[in-house]
Amino acid sequence: MRKIMLLGRSEAGKTTLTQALKGEKITYHKTQYVNYYDVIIDTPGEYAETNTLAGALAIYSYEADVIGMLLSAIEPYSLYPPCVCAIATREVIGIVTKIDHKEADVEQAKEWLRLAGCEKIFCISAYTGEGISDILEYLKEDGDILPWEEAKAKDDILI
């Protein structure tokens, strides 16, 4: 599976998405430092929100195959300037989070990610699971077996 680095402001849903991608129970905890998992790099929101720390994200991005720019569907503004994806040395995808929230404006969030330069955009809810399998399929490489494929293969053997 291709390694993804998740970035976005605090409370955008990076850690929650990390837990959902790993199939873990969703529990809130504040990311205090850059966390490396097998194929996920979870970054603190303060890195994206602070000019002096934002440069560190460029360094960490060299260890990723894909950069996932998260934007919550309930955001009143976009953290990302127009065309920011053009400076990346990696593929950049947009990820709209919290699409199940009653105040979500998914179309506005998608438009802000398009303006930032994201061509591929995923809409997800880490709590309902909507869109999570789409991201996993997108990151999948030849030969990877995703958990539900493994479960289906076992079911097929039993039939």
Side-chain angles (χ1 to χ4, degrees):
M1 183 171 268
R2 297 186 292 163
K3 184 179 273 192
I4 185 169
M5 181 177 86
L6 303 175
L7 60 90
R9 74 172 210 87
S10 294
E11 299 183 19
K14 299 175 301 296
T15 302
T16 304
L17 175 57
T18 297
Q19 293 169 353
L21 289 170
K22 293 167 59 181
E24 295 177 351
K25 180 180 177 196
I26 305 298
T27 59
Y28 177 79
H29 74 275
K30 174 73 182 100
T31 301
Q32 300 293 325
Y33 48 87
V34 176
N35 290 308
Y36 286 83
Y37 301 100
D38 291 335
V39 292
I40 304 168
I41 303 172
D42 182 13
T43 63
E46 290 79 8
Y47 279 50
E49 296 170 0
T50 310
N51 286 341
T52 55
L53 294 173
L57 292 175
I59 303 298
Y60 290 115
S61 72
Y62 285 104
E63 296 191 27
D65 302 309
V66 178
I67 298 169
M69 291 178 29
L70 276 73
L71 188 62
S72 168
I74 60 173
E75 290 293 334
Y77 64 91
S78 174
L79 174 71
Y80 309 113
C83 303
V84 72
C85 293
I87 65 170
T89 59
R90 302 288 184 267
E91 175 186 4
V92 180
I93 61 171
I95 303 171
V96 178
T97 61
K98 303 180 185 181
I99 62 170
D100 57 331
H101 194 281
K102 65 180 177 165
E103 297 174 18
D105 187 347
V106 175
E107 290 307 313
Q108 179 65 74
K110 286 168 62 175
E111 182 59 27
W112 283 334
L113 288 169
R114 280 189 212 97
L115 287 171
C118 296
E119 294 179 12
K120 183 73 176 165
I121 299 173
F122 296 90
C123 297
I124 64 114
S125 167
Y127 288 99
T128 66
E130 183 177 349
I132 301 298
S133 61
D134 296 334
I135 294 175
L136 288 169
E137 285 287 343
Y138 187 76
L139 296 173
K140 182 180 169 183
E141 293 182 300
D142 291 341
D144 286 345
I145 298 174
L146 297 175
W148 55 85
E149 294 172 331
E150 189 174 305
K152 184 180 181 320
K154 287 179 183 176
D155 287 346
D156 290 345
I157 290 172
L158 295 174
I159 295 177

